[in-house]
């Protein structure tokens, strides 16, 4: 089994918040898709919790629903 973590952050050095952030990860054909995990926002994230989606096929993207990130989140 392989478990991996994707970390998304928006540094405080930016001058604006980020809106409608999209995260997509396409699994290589040699990896067998088993299941989706959960989304665990950091303590300083104040928006709604994004959701994961994917259809369970190889070479198909695992998608995190669009979300906004304020500076420093």
């Amino acid at each position: 089994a392989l478990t991996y973590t994707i970390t998304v952050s928006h540094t405080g050095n930016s001058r604006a918040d980020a809106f409608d952030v999209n995260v997509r990860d396409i699994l290589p054909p040699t990896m067998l898709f088993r299941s989706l995990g959960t989304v665990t926002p950091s303590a300083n994230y104040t928006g709604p919790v994004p959701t994961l989606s994917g259809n369970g096929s190889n070479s198909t993207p695992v998608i995190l629903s669009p979300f906004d990130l304020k500076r420093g989140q």
Side-chain angles (χ1 to χ4, degrees):
L2 171 68
T3 302
Y4 66 98
T5 302
I6 297 174
T7 302
V8 179
S9 63
H10 187 48
T11 67
N13 295 335
S14 177
R15 295 191 175 147
D17 296 339
F19 298 98
D20 296 322
V21 175
N22 287 278
V23 177
R24 297 170 57 97
D25 187 28
I26 298 176
L27 301 176
T30 56
M31 292 183 77
L32 181 61
F33 180 90
R34 292 282 186 208
S35 65
L36 293 171
T38 58
V39 176
T40 307
S42 67
N44 67 340
Y45 178 71
T46 58
V49 177
T51 57
L52 283 170
S53 63
N55 70 4
S57 300
N58 294 354
S59 299
T60 300
V62 174
I63 301 169
L64 191 61
S65 62
F67 58 98
D68 299 339
L69 275 180
K70 296 184 187 276
R71 288 181 8 199
Q73 288 188 333

